[in-house]
mmCIF file of all heavy atoms in Angstrom:
data_model
loop_
_atom_site.group_PDB
_atom_site.id
_atom_site.type_symbol
_atom_site.label_atom_id
_atom_site.label_comp_id
_atom_site.label_asym_id
_atom_site.label_seq_id
_atom_site.Cartn_x
_atom_site.Cartn_y
_atom_site.Cartn_z
ATOM 1 N N VAL A 66 -15.086 88.744 20.903
ATOM 2 C CA VAL A 66 -13.842 88.860 20.152
ATOM 3 C C VAL A 66 -13.195 87.510 20.058
ATOM 4 O O VAL A 66 -12.947 86.825 21.068
ATOM 5 C CB VAL A 66 -12.885 89.868 20.864
ATOM 6 C CG1 VAL A 66 -11.582 89.988 20.081
ATOM 7 C CG2 VAL A 66 -13.501 91.239 21.020
ATOM 8 N N ILE A 67 -12.912 87.065 18.810
ATOM 9 C CA ILE A 67 -12.303 85.762 18.622
ATOM 10 C C ILE A 67 -10.845 85.804 19.031
ATOM 11 O O ILE A 67 -10.053 86.600 18.489
ATOM 12 C CB ILE A 67 -12.412 85.317 17.104
ATOM 13 C CG1 ILE A 67 -13.847 85.291 16.670
ATOM 14 C CG2 ILE A 67 -11.733 83.962 16.907
ATOM 15 C CD1 ILE A 67 -14.704 84.284 17.385
ATOM 16 N N THR A 68 -10.475 84.988 20.007
ATOM 17 C CA THR A 68 -9.089 84.929 20.502
ATOM 18 C C THR A 68 -8.543 83.490 20.504
ATOM 19 O O THR A 68 -7.358 83.274 20.646
ATOM 20 C CB THR A 68 -8.945 85.507 21.888
ATOM 21 O OG1 THR A 68 -9.761 84.743 22.781
ATOM 22 C CG2 THR A 68 -9.423 86.947 21.929
ATOM 23 N N SER A 69 -9.408 82.515 20.410
ATOM 24 C CA SER A 69 -9.008 81.072 20.561
ATOM 25 C C SER A 69 -8.185 80.585 19.362
ATOM 26 O O SER A 69 -8.568 80.787 18.211
ATOM 27 C CB SER A 69 -10.264 80.251 20.716
ATOM 28 O OG SER A 69 -9.973 78.882 20.624
ATOM 29 N N LYS A 70 -7.110 79.927 19.653
ATOM 30 C CA LYS A 70 -6.288 79.285 18.598
ATOM 31 C C LYS A 70 -7.088 78.227 17.883
ATOM 32 O O LYS A 70 -6.920 78.009 16.671
ATOM 33 C CB LYS A 70 -5.072 78.667 19.221
ATOM 34 C CG LYS A 70 -3.976 79.645 19.662
ATOM 35 C CD LYS A 70 -2.779 78.853 20.179
ATOM 36 C CE LYS A 70 -1.653 79.771 20.625
ATOM 37 N NZ LYS A 70 -0.465 79.054 21.101
ATOM 38 N N GLU A 71 -7.940 77.486 18.638
ATOM 39 C CA GLU A 71 -8.721 76.390 18.031
ATOM 40 C C GLU A 71 -9.739 76.886 17.040
ATOM 41 O O GLU A 71 -10.148 76.184 16.133
ATOM 42 C CB GLU A 71 -9.413 75.589 19.147
ATOM 43 C CG GLU A 71 -8.505 74.738 19.992
ATOM 44 C CD GLU A 71 -7.610 75.598 20.939
ATOM 45 O OE1 GLU A 71 -8.011 76.699 21.255
ATOM 46 O OE2 GLU A 71 -6.500 75.101 21.307
ATOM 47 N N VAL A 72 -10.201 78.118 17.206
ATOM 48 C CA VAL A 72 -11.211 78.696 16.346
ATOM 49 C C VAL A 72 -10.601 79.432 15.191
ATOM 50 O O VAL A 72 -11.144 79.487 14.068
ATOM 51 C CB VAL A 72 -12.157 79.657 17.145
ATOM 52 C CG1 VAL A 72 -13.101 80.385 16.253
ATOM 53 C CG2 VAL A 72 -12.890 78.840 18.228
ATOM 54 N N ASP A 73 -9.439 79.994 15.362
ATOM 55 C CA ASP A 73 -8.774 80.783 14.306
ATOM 56 C C ASP A 73 -8.587 79.955 13.047
ATOM 57 O O ASP A 73 -8.026 78.895 13.049
ATOM 58 C CB ASP A 73 -7.384 81.247 14.819
ATOM 59 C CG ASP A 73 -6.701 82.194 13.862
ATOM 60 O OD1 ASP A 73 -7.382 82.938 13.180
ATOM 61 O OD2 ASP A 73 -5.447 82.148 13.820
ATOM 62 N N GLY A 74 -9.149 80.490 11.922
ATOM 63 C CA GLY A 74 -9.011 79.823 10.651
ATOM 64 C C GLY A 74 -10.050 78.778 10.392
ATOM 65 O O GLY A 74 -10.017 78.082 9.320
ATOM 66 N N ARG A 75 -11.027 78.558 11.271
ATOM 67 C CA ARG A 75 -12.054 77.536 11.103
ATOM 68 C C ARG A 75 -13.277 78.104 10.373
ATOM 69 O O ARG A 75 -13.610 79.269 10.463
ATOM 70 C CB ARG A 75 -12.485 77.015 12.502
ATOM 71 C CG ARG A 75 -11.403 76.320 13.293
ATOM 72 C CD ARG A 75 -11.180 74.908 12.851
ATOM 73 N NE ARG A 75 -12.424 74.125 12.894
ATOM 74 C CZ ARG A 75 -12.953 73.565 13.996
ATOM 75 N NH1 ARG A 75 -12.313 73.735 15.176
ATOM 76 N NH2 ARG A 75 -14.043 72.868 13.951
ATOM 77 N N ARG A 76 -13.986 77.177 9.671
ATOM 78 C CA ARG A 76 -15.229 77.558 9.011
ATOM 79 C C ARG A 76 -16.343 77.691 10.002
ATOM 80 O O ARG A 76 -16.442 76.897 10.953
ATOM 81 C CB ARG A 76 -15.614 76.486 7.959
ATOM 82 C CG ARG A 76 -14.684 76.365 6.784
ATOM 83 C CD ARG A 76 -15.009 75.172 5.926
ATOM 84 N NE ARG A 76 -16.365 75.174 5.430
ATOM 85 C CZ ARG A 76 -17.407 74.448 5.886
ATOM 86 N NH1 ARG A 76 -17.174 73.618 6.919
ATOM 87 N NH2 ARG A 76 -18.571 74.500 5.342
ATOM 88 N N LEU A 77 -17.239 78.644 9.772
ATOM 89 C CA LEU A 77 -18.343 78.864 10.672
ATOM 90 C C LEU A 77 -19.287 77.667 10.640
ATOM 91 O O LEU A 77 -19.821 77.260 11.691
ATOM 92 C CB LEU A 77 -19.126 80.117 10.171
ATOM 93 C CG LEU A 77 -20.089 80.738 11.191
ATOM 94 C CD1 LEU A 77 -19.404 81.116 12.456
ATOM 95 C CD2 LEU A 77 -20.722 81.993 10.563
ATOM 96 N N GLY A 78 -19.422 77.060 9.458
ATOM 97 C CA GLY A 78 -20.325 75.877 9.358
ATOM 98 C C GLY A 78 -19.832 74.698 10.172
ATOM 99 O O GLY A 78 -20.616 73.969 10.767
ATOM 100 N N ASP A 79 -18.486 74.514 10.226
ATOM 101 C CA ASP A 79 -17.917 73.412 11.019
ATOM 102 C C ASP A 79 -18.140 73.664 12.511
ATOM 103 O O ASP A 79 -18.455 72.743 13.249
ATOM 104 C CB ASP A 79 -16.424 73.263 10.711
ATOM 105 C CG ASP A 79 -16.176 72.781 9.302
ATOM 106 O OD1 ASP A 79 -17.100 72.172 8.744
ATOM 107 O OD2 ASP A 79 -15.077 73.042 8.755
ATOM 108 N N LEU A 80 -17.969 74.904 12.921
ATOM 109 C CA LEU A 80 -18.080 75.266 14.320
ATOM 110 C C LEU A 80 -19.564 75.072 14.782
ATOM 111 O O LEU A 80 -19.792 74.769 15.958
ATOM 112 C CB LEU A 80 -17.639 76.667 14.595
ATOM 113 C CG LEU A 80 -16.152 76.955 14.352
ATOM 114 C CD1 LEU A 80 -15.888 78.445 14.432
ATOM 115 C CD2 LEU A 80 -15.329 76.229 15.434
ATOM 116 N N ALA A 81 -20.467 75.230 13.877
ATOM 117 C CA ALA A 81 -21.925 75.142 14.224
ATOM 118 C C ALA A 81 -22.303 73.773 14.679
ATOM 119 O O ALA A 81 -23.300 73.573 15.399
ATOM 120 C CB ALA A 81 -22.766 75.568 13.026
ATOM 121 N N HIS A 82 -21.509 72.743 14.291
ATOM 122 C CA HIS A 82 -21.886 71.379 14.631
ATOM 123 C C HIS A 82 -21.060 70.879 15.885
ATOM 124 O O HIS A 82 -21.253 69.682 16.247
ATOM 125 C CB HIS A 82 -21.584 70.444 13.462
ATOM 126 C CG HIS A 82 -22.397 70.767 12.242
ATOM 127 N ND1 HIS A 82 -23.761 70.648 12.216
ATOM 128 C CD2 HIS A 82 -22.030 71.251 11.051
ATOM 129 C CE1 HIS A 82 -24.211 71.021 11.033
ATOM 130 N NE2 HIS A 82 -23.164 71.413 10.319
ATOM 131 N N GLU A 83 -20.288 71.714 16.435
ATOM 132 C CA GLU A 83 -19.498 71.295 17.643
ATOM 133 C C GLU A 83 -20.318 71.422 18.914
ATOM 134 O O GLU A 83 -21.308 72.168 18.978
ATOM 135 C CB GLU A 83 -18.197 72.115 17.735
ATOM 136 C CG GLU A 83 -17.212 71.791 16.616
ATOM 137 C CD GLU A 83 -15.830 72.320 16.943
ATOM 138 O OE1 GLU A 83 -15.676 73.039 17.935
ATOM 139 O OE2 GLU A 83 -14.932 72.011 16.142
ATOM 140 N N GLU A 84 -19.876 70.708 19.938
ATOM 141 C CA GLU A 84 -20.524 70.765 21.239
ATOM 142 C C GLU A 84 -20.455 72.195 21.776
ATOM 143 O O GLU A 84 -19.411 72.845 21.715
ATOM 144 C CB GLU A 84 -19.839 69.799 22.218
ATOM 145 C CG GLU A 84 -20.530 69.734 23.563
ATOM 146 C CD GLU A 84 -19.796 68.811 24.503
ATOM 147 O OE1 GLU A 84 -18.799 68.159 24.047
ATOM 148 O OE2 GLU A 84 -20.191 68.742 25.660
ATOM 149 N N GLY A 85 -21.549 72.667 22.258
ATOM 150 C CA GLY A 85 -21.586 74.038 22.810
ATOM 151 C C GLY A 85 -22.158 75.032 21.821
ATOM 152 O O GLY A 85 -22.498 76.177 22.220
ATOM 153 N N ALA A 86 -22.360 74.627 20.542
ATOM 154 C CA ALA A 86 -22.918 75.578 19.565
ATOM 155 C C ALA A 86 -24.464 75.460 19.510
ATOM 156 O O ALA A 86 -25.080 76.345 18.897
ATOM 157 C CB ALA A 86 -22.352 75.284 18.177
ATOM 158 N N ARG A 87 -25.049 74.492 20.148
ATOM 159 C CA ARG A 87 -26.463 74.281 20.115
ATOM 160 C C ARG A 87 -27.175 75.499 20.745
ATOM 161 O O ARG A 87 -26.889 75.883 21.832
ATOM 162 C CB ARG A 87 -26.848 73.008 20.858
ATOM 163 C CG ARG A 87 -28.314 72.658 20.788
ATOM 164 C CD ARG A 87 -28.622 71.337 21.444
ATOM 165 N NE ARG A 87 -30.015 71.016 21.374
ATOM 166 C CZ ARG A 87 -30.919 71.403 22.273
ATOM 167 N NH1 ARG A 87 -30.503 72.109 23.323
ATOM 168 N NH2 ARG A 87 -32.158 71.096 22.136
ATOM 169 N N GLY A 88 -28.133 76.046 19.986
ATOM 170 C CA GLY A 88 -28.903 77.181 20.506
ATOM 171 C C GLY A 88 -28.237 78.506 20.345
ATOM 172 O O GLY A 88 -28.738 79.518 20.846
ATOM 173 N N VAL A 89 -27.085 78.561 19.662
ATOM 174 C CA VAL A 89 -26.351 79.832 19.502
ATOM 175 C C VAL A 89 -26.294 80.141 18.025
ATOM 176 O O VAL A 89 -25.961 79.265 17.160
ATOM 177 C CB VAL A 89 -24.932 79.713 20.050
ATOM 178 C CG1 VAL A 89 -24.196 81.054 19.868
ATOM 179 C CG2 VAL A 89 -24.940 79.332 21.529
ATOM 180 N N PHE A 90 -26.638 81.383 17.659
ATOM 181 C CA PHE A 90 -26.687 81.763 16.247
ATOM 182 C C PHE A 90 -25.785 82.988 16.017
ATOM 183 O O PHE A 90 -25.715 83.875 16.873
ATOM 184 C CB PHE A 90 -28.115 82.094 15.849
ATOM 185 C CG PHE A 90 -29.051 80.958 16.049
ATOM 186 C CD1 PHE A 90 -29.792 80.864 17.250
ATOM 187 C CD2 PHE A 90 -29.238 79.997 15.087
ATOM 188 C CE1 PHE A 90 -30.649 79.792 17.465
ATOM 189 C CE2 PHE A 90 -30.108 78.916 15.302
ATOM 190 C CZ PHE A 90 -30.817 78.840 16.488
ATOM 191 N N VAL A 91 -25.104 83.017 14.887
ATOM 192 C CA VAL A 91 -24.251 84.170 14.549
ATOM 193 C C VAL A 91 -25.021 85.086 13.632
ATOM 194 O O VAL A 91 -25.548 84.652 12.569
ATOM 195 C CB VAL A 91 -22.962 83.672 13.811
ATOM 196 C CG1 VAL A 91 -22.147 84.855 13.375
ATOM 197 C CG2 VAL A 91 -22.132 82.780 14.745
ATOM 198 N N VAL A 92 -25.127 86.341 13.989
ATOM 199 C CA VAL A 92 -25.896 87.280 13.167
ATOM 200 C C VAL A 92 -25.005 88.249 12.431
ATOM 201 O O VAL A 92 -25.434 88.893 11.476
ATOM 202 C CB VAL A 92 -26.919 88.095 14.036
ATOM 203 C CG1 VAL A 92 -27.927 87.151 14.653
ATOM 204 C CG2 VAL A 92 -26.191 88.872 15.130
ATOM 205 N N ARG A 93 -23.713 88.385 12.828
ATOM 206 C CA ARG A 93 -22.867 89.315 12.131
ATOM 207 C C ARG A 93 -21.382 88.984 12.495
ATOM 208 O O ARG A 93 -21.092 88.556 13.593
ATOM 209 C CB ARG A 93 -23.160 90.770 12.496
ATOM 210 C CG ARG A 93 -22.349 91.806 11.702
ATOM 211 C CD ARG A 93 -22.784 93.226 12.072
ATOM 212 N NE ARG A 93 -22.483 93.529 13.454
ATOM 213 C CZ ARG A 93 -22.637 94.710 14.011
ATOM 214 N NH1 ARG A 93 -23.121 95.700 13.311
ATOM 215 N NH2 ARG A 93 -22.327 94.927 15.291
ATOM 216 N N VAL A 94 -20.494 89.210 11.523
ATOM 217 C CA VAL A 94 -19.076 89.129 11.778
ATOM 218 C C VAL A 94 -18.426 90.414 11.303
ATOM 219 O O VAL A 94 -18.600 90.800 10.132
ATOM 220 C CB VAL A 94 -18.427 87.894 10.995
ATOM 221 C CG1 VAL A 94 -16.949 87.879 11.240
ATOM 222 C CG2 VAL A 94 -19.089 86.577 11.501
ATOM 223 N N LEU A 95 -17.696 91.065 12.184
ATOM 224 C CA LEU A 95 -16.992 92.297 11.826
ATOM 225 C C LEU A 95 -15.492 92.021 11.770
ATOM 226 O O LEU A 95 -14.959 91.390 12.694
ATOM 227 C CB LEU A 95 -17.241 93.398 12.865
ATOM 228 C CG LEU A 95 -18.607 94.047 12.879
ATOM 229 C CD1 LEU A 95 -18.663 95.094 13.965
ATOM 230 C CD2 LEU A 95 -18.952 94.682 11.556
ATOM 231 N N ARG A 96 -14.848 92.473 10.734
ATOM 232 C CA ARG A 96 -13.404 92.300 10.589
ATOM 233 C C ARG A 96 -12.812 93.673 10.296
ATOM 234 O O ARG A 96 -13.100 94.302 9.297
ATOM 235 C CB ARG A 96 -13.099 91.327 9.445
ATOM 236 C CG ARG A 96 -11.645 90.997 9.236
ATOM 237 C CD ARG A 96 -11.512 89.800 8.353
ATOM 238 N NE ARG A 96 -12.086 88.610 8.983
ATOM 239 C CZ ARG A 96 -12.530 87.540 8.302
ATOM 240 N NH1 ARG A 96 -12.444 87.523 6.974
ATOM 241 N NH2 ARG A 96 -13.045 86.527 8.945
ATOM 242 N N SER A 97 -11.937 94.161 11.207
ATOM 243 C CA SER A 97 -11.393 95.508 11.123
ATOM 244 C C SER A 97 -12.491 96.570 10.966
ATOM 245 O O SER A 97 -12.398 97.507 10.254
ATOM 246 C CB SER A 97 -10.444 95.617 9.911
ATOM 247 O OG SER A 97 -9.350 94.767 10.051
ATOM 248 N N GLY A 98 -13.608 96.303 11.673
ATOM 249 C CA GLY A 98 -14.746 97.228 11.672
ATOM 250 C C GLY A 98 -15.652 97.084 10.457
ATOM 251 O O GLY A 98 -16.663 97.826 10.370
ATOM 252 N N THR A 99 -15.381 96.185 9.531
ATOM 253 C CA THR A 99 -16.186 96.036 8.347
ATOM 254 C C THR A 99 -16.921 94.733 8.369
ATOM 255 O O THR A 99 -16.355 93.676 8.634
ATOM 256 C CB THR A 99 -15.301 96.069 7.042
ATOM 257 O OG1 THR A 99 -14.552 97.282 7.020
ATOM 258 C CG2 THR A 99 -16.125 95.970 5.788
ATOM 259 N N PRO A 100 -18.269 94.728 8.066
ATOM 260 C CA PRO A 100 -19.025 93.469 8.084
ATOM 261 C C PRO A 100 -18.501 92.537 6.973
ATOM 262 O O PRO A 100 -18.168 92.937 5.867
ATOM 263 C CB PRO A 100 -20.472 93.936 7.754
ATOM 264 C CG PRO A 100 -20.503 95.361 8.122
ATOM 265 C CD PRO A 100 -19.135 95.886 7.850
ATOM 266 N N VAL A 101 -18.404 91.259 7.309
ATOM 267 C CA VAL A 101 -17.974 90.195 6.400
ATOM 268 C C VAL A 101 -19.181 89.364 5.993
ATOM 269 O O VAL A 101 -20.077 89.162 6.808
ATOM 270 C CB VAL A 101 -16.894 89.308 7.072
ATOM 271 C CG1 VAL A 101 -16.517 88.171 6.120
ATOM 272 C CG2 VAL A 101 -15.680 90.131 7.446
#
């Protein structure tokens, strides 16, 4: 569950290049129960 202020409103592509994203992949995003 996304709760971080630093992540809120950020592009997924930008987050992928940050430290700690290496080796982690996003397979789905749900918003209000609906896939985005």
